[in-house]
Amino acid sequence: MSEKESINQDQLKEYLTTFDKKGEGSSLEGIVVQIDKDFVYLDVGMKSEGRVPLSDFDTVPSLGDVVTCILLNEEGRNGEVVVSKRRADSKILIKTLTTAFEEKKPVEGKIAKIVKGGYEVDLGAGIMAFLPLSRADLHRVEEPASLVGKTSLFFIERLYERNKINPLVNRKDYLQQHADAAREQFFQNAQVGDIVEGTVKSFASFGAFIDLGGFDGLLHLNDMSWGHATRPKDYAKKDQKLQLKIVRLDPENKKINLGLKYFQEDPWVGFEKRYHVDDIVEGRVTKLTDFGAFVEIEEGIEGLVHVSELSWIKRVKHPKEVLSIGEKVKVCVLGYDTSEERVSLGLKQTMENPWDQIAQKYPVGQKITKKVKKITPAGLFIELEEGVDGFLHADDLSWGKRTQSLASMFSVGDDVEVVITEISPEQHRISLGMKQLQQNPWEEMLSLHHRGEAVEAEVVGKTNFGVFVRVPNGLEGLIHKTNLANTQNAELDSILENIAIGSKITATVITVAEDKRRLALSVRDHVIKQQNLEMGQYLSKNNFEDSKYTLADIMKKM
């Protein structure tokens, strides 16, 4: 606004006090007597007609219309009467604005254009006001240009600045006051289930705000469709008029929830007539989570395929390994609860279960050569086929005692020969063995070497309590140092020290314990047995009779 067009406060007071006086500066009423392309001529009851630019009128007047104007000069440069409609309009408007400002009443204006920080609002009569962007609407204005050209009502927050007319207006507070009044009346008359009409105002990720006549209701995403809704804009368009049902009313917090889907029948009604346990149905994957996949089998009916129901053979860590959002799949109805609106679905039930044929494909006793898939301290996982593993326990590697770590003996990918020792399709478990490929040496030990029988063994290790020896069938046993002496007064530590690794020792088997995998031998027992044998042979050769001779007599003869 230019300095010439600005009216200071003193001028305003002068205008208001002279508004009803006659003479220069006074208000006149003129009758339209002539109109040409540039001017409107008014009969103001003076010696000549007043002339007003046609541009001062919002609409072209008609002959005979009464127009209020201000007398500027009774006799102008050419002797004519000089009047101003714009000055009259401005004086009237300033008086109106002053009253509205003092009484806190709204005034009408038109949002003319965007300026820095907000808008310029045309209040009429050449008076422009500033509307901050933050006070332009009830909600954040996403598109400032959308308000340009809109006629509305505003509260005046400031009329003067530095003694000049420079209005600051607020549209938000007026809209809020209007909305509060309309909302209060709405809550007095509305009930849940009523049908109302509203206009889509704006969107959020969780739904759409609906203008119900100056105040908003929320159309939540969950209330847009019985089906799986993800985008509010799929069900409503901006500025679209919709018929909606009132879903919830919260008078205390003045919140209104609306629904669009309730004009259609709830798909859960009659669910049990359409679906049964073990039915195979087609659906669409709508969501993937750590614990499973959600599949929509019809609009509004969404079930969960738990991660454990995705595959018979594969250990699925996340559903994304086998499914993708939007994919069409066939699933099996495992169970449902219509009161909770829940359906349990299975994907693997639509496929052949390989474990049903496992027992026939891999019978107990069958020898197979397969690759090592995984190594653990407890044993090896052997892959029989994709998704089917067998477990080779460390105890089933060898009949002898295991002295090395499995990681030092095997590598992932190694081919190993094993035998099926046990199979449980119900528990998805297959046990394998490697030692079972050979005869159990403990059984051989029991059959060939009973207690008291002599064997020749090789010393393979020494400790402070004895020596470890290996017998001919490969088993290892222990000769305790107390069983190394062949005489009663022998020095045990000295005997133990003099025995060399790799040397041969003849000893008698004193213990064979297959269950404990323990073999104990004794040199002393072997010597005693040999001495007894020799004694018996001597007695037999010399015809000694036990009843006539003592042991001392026999020894004297020998």
Side-chain angles (χ1 to χ4, degrees):
M1 184 181 298
S2 67
E3 186 176 347
K4 290 182 179 180
E5 292 177 320
S6 299
I7 303 175
N8 63 34
Q9 195 168 4
D10 294 335
Q11 288 175 316
L12 173 63
K13 291 179 180 178
E14 181 183 347
Y15 283 166
L16 296 179
T17 55
T18 62
F19 192 74
D20 294 327
K21 292 182 179 180
K22 301 299 181 182
E24 293 181 0
S26 63
S27 176
L28 298 176
E29 288 189 347
I31 299 174
V32 179
V33 295
Q34 184 183 346
I35 303 172
D36 62 23
K37 65 176 184 176
D38 296 317
F39 296 98
V40 174
Y41 298 89
L42 305 176
D43 180 0
V44 293
M46 301 183 73
K47 62 180 182 179
S48 66
E49 297 170 347
R51 188 177 67 173
V52 177
L54 186 62
S55 59
D56 285 358
F57 293 85
D58 294 330
T59 59
V60 179
S62 300
L63 296 177
D65 286 353
V66 177
V67 178
T68 301
C69 57
I70 296 293
L71 178 61
L72 300 181
N73 197 330
E74 293 185 13
E75 188 172 350
R77 183 176 299 176
N78 298 318
E80 77 281 6
V81 176
V82 181
V83 296
S84 173
K85 178 181 180 298
R86 182 179 293 274
R87 292 279 188 90
D89 290 345
S90 179
K91 181 186 285 189
I92 294 170
L93 179 59
I94 291 173
K95 186 174 182 180
T96 301
L97 295 178
T98 301
T99 301
F101 176 68
E102 292 174 348
E103 297 180 1
K104 297 182 180 179
K105 292 183 179 179
V107 296
E108 187 176 81
K110 182 178 182 180
I111 300 176
K113 64 180 180 179
I114 298 173
V115 295
K116 184 178 180 180
Y119 301 91
E120 195 172 76
V121 177
D122 186 356
L123 298 178
I127 296 179
M128 308 300 286
F130 177 64
L131 171 64
L133 185 64
S134 62
R135 302 174 198 177
D137 208 339
L138 289 173
H139 305 285
R140 183 174 180 272
V141 180
E142 301 290 345
E143 300 178 6
S146 63
L147 295 182
V148 175
K150 186 180 289 293
T151 299
S152 181
L153 293 176
F154 306 83
F155 283 123
I156 302 175
E157 290 192 348
R158 182 193 71 210
L159 190 55
Y160 298 100
E161 185 179 36
R162 298 178 183 176
N163 290 326
K164 292 184 179 181
I165 290 288
N166 188 13
L168 176 70
V169 295
N170 186 326
R171 180 172 178 261
K172 179 179 179 179
D173 285 357
Y174 168 75
L175 294 176
Q176 189 63 61
Q177 185 185 82
H178 177 71
D180 290 344
R183 185 184 289 108
E184 190 64 35
Q185 185 177 6
F186 180 87
F187 274 99
Q188 290 177 3
N189 301 320
Q191 294 181 349
V192 172
D194 286 353
I195 298 176
V196 295
E197 185 177 80
T199 303
V200 180
K201 184 176 181 179
S202 61
F203 293 96
S205 60
F206 51 83
F209 290 99
I210 309 298
D211 184 357
L212 296 175
F215 60 97
D216 293 346
L218 174 64
L219 174 57
H220 196 278
L221 189 63
N222 293 337
D223 293 315
M224 289 184 169
S225 171
W226 291 111
H228 183 79
T230 55
R231 297 177 66 251
K233 291 183 179 180
D234 291 339
Y235 301 91
K237 306 299 179 186
K238 186 172 172 51
D239 298 325
Q240 180 184 4
K241 290 188 180 296
L242 295 174
Q243 294 288 318
L244 303 162
K245 275 191 177 183
I246 299 175
V247 179
R248 283 174 291 276
L249 291 173
D250 183 354
E252 182 177 350
N253 296 304
K254 304 300 181 185
K255 292 184 178 180
I256 305 163
N257 285 78
L258 306 168
L260 183 64
K261 69 181 184 182
Y262 303 99
F263 292 102
Q264 300 174 346
E265 185 179 16
D266 184 346
W268 285 96
V269 176
F271 175 90
E272 292 177 302
K273 293 182 180 179
R274 302 193 304 275
Y275 300 100
H276 308 89
V277 173
D278 294 332
D279 280 356
I280 304 297
V281 297
E282 188 174 70
R284 179 177 63 88
V285 179
T286 58
K287 186 179 180 181
L288 300 177
T289 69
D290 292 340
F291 54 85
F294 287 91
V295 177
E296 186 179 60
I297 58 176
E298 70 170 75
E299 186 175 357
I301 304 293
E302 196 173 62
L304 172 67
V305 182
H306 192 269
V307 68
S308 62
E309 303 296 342
L310 290 170
S311 174
W312 289 114
I313 58 175
K314 187 176 181 180
R315 189 181 296 275
V316 181
K317 294 181 179 179
H318 194 283
K320 65 183 179 182
E321 297 175 18
V322 293
L323 294 173
S324 57
I325 293 178
E327 180 182 356
K328 289 186 177 180
V329 293
K330 288 186 177 181
V331 289
C332 178
V333 178
L334 304 181
Y336 55 82
D337 184 344
T338 55
S339 62
E340 295 292 331
E341 297 186 355
R342 293 178 180 174
V343 184
S344 296
L345 303 172
L347 179 67
K348 68 183 183 182
Q349 287 78 8
T350 64
M351 312 170 189
E352 183 180 355
N353 182 359
W355 285 95
D356 292 341
Q357 306 298 325
I358 284 293
Q360 288 75 30
K361 291 179 67 175
Y362 302 100
V364 172
Q366 181 181 359
K367 297 177 182 179
I368 54 175
T369 299
K370 299 291 182 179
K371 293 185 181 296
V372 176
K373 183 177 181 181
K374 184 179 179 181
I375 302 173
T376 72
L380 308 177
F381 285 94
I382 310 297
E383 186 177 47
L384 276 63
E385 59 184 62
E386 184 180 4
V388 179
D389 297 341
F391 186 65
L392 173 59
H393 196 278
D395 291 341
D396 289 317
L397 284 170
S398 170
W399 293 111
K401 185 177 180 180
R402 180 168 59 91
T403 58
Q404 302 180 60
S405 69
L406 295 179
S408 66
M409 300 168 63
F410 299 95
S411 298
V412 173
D414 285 354
D415 286 321
V416 294
E417 185 180 16
V418 291
V419 63
I420 308 295
T421 59
E422 183 183 357
I423 189 163
S424 176
E426 298 79 13
Q427 298 179 351
H428 293 186
R429 187 178 68 210
I430 299 176
S431 297
L432 307 173
M434 183 177 285
K435 69 182 183 182
Q436 289 82 356
L437 294 170
Q438 302 171 348
Q439 183 180 356
N440 185 348
W442 291 99
E443 293 178 356
E444 182 183 7
M445 191 72 194
L446 286 171
S447 62
L448 298 178
H449 304 289
H450 302 289
R451 181 178 179 182
E453 193 167 332
V455 295
E456 186 179 66
E458 179 186 357
V459 177
V460 294
K462 294 172 62 174
T463 71
N464 59 359
F465 55 82
V467 296
F468 290 100
V469 296
R470 182 181 294 116
V471 298
N473 67 351
L475 292 179
E476 290 184 7
L478 173 68
I479 303 177
H480 197 275
K481 68 180 183 179
T482 58
N483 290 321
L484 286 171
N486 51 16
T487 63
Q488 187 173 2
N489 299 319
E491 182 63 39
L492 299 180
D493 290 336
S494 177
I495 294 174
L496 180 61
E497 184 178 351
N498 290 326
I499 296 177
I501 302 295
S503 61
K504 304 291 185 178
I505 293 179
T506 302
T508 297
V509 176
I510 59 175
T511 302
V512 180
E514 180 184 2
D515 56 340
K516 297 180 180 180
R517 295 189 182 183
R518 188 172 67 191
L519 173 64
L521 303 100
S522 174
V523 173
R524 185 186 65 185
D525 284 13
H526 172 67
V527 172
I528 292 173
K529 183 177 181 181
Q530 288 297 108
Q531 289 177 348
N532 290 337
L533 181 61
E534 291 174 4
M535 179 69 73
Q537 290 175 349
Y538 180 82
L539 293 176
S540 175
K541 181 178 179 180
N542 293 278
N543 298 315
F544 286 104
E545 294 184 8
D546 296 343
S547 59
K548 297 180 179 179
Y549 296 92
T550 65
L551 180 60
D553 294 331
I554 297 173
M555 295 301 294
K556 288 178 182 179
K557 287 282 188 180
M558 292 180 65

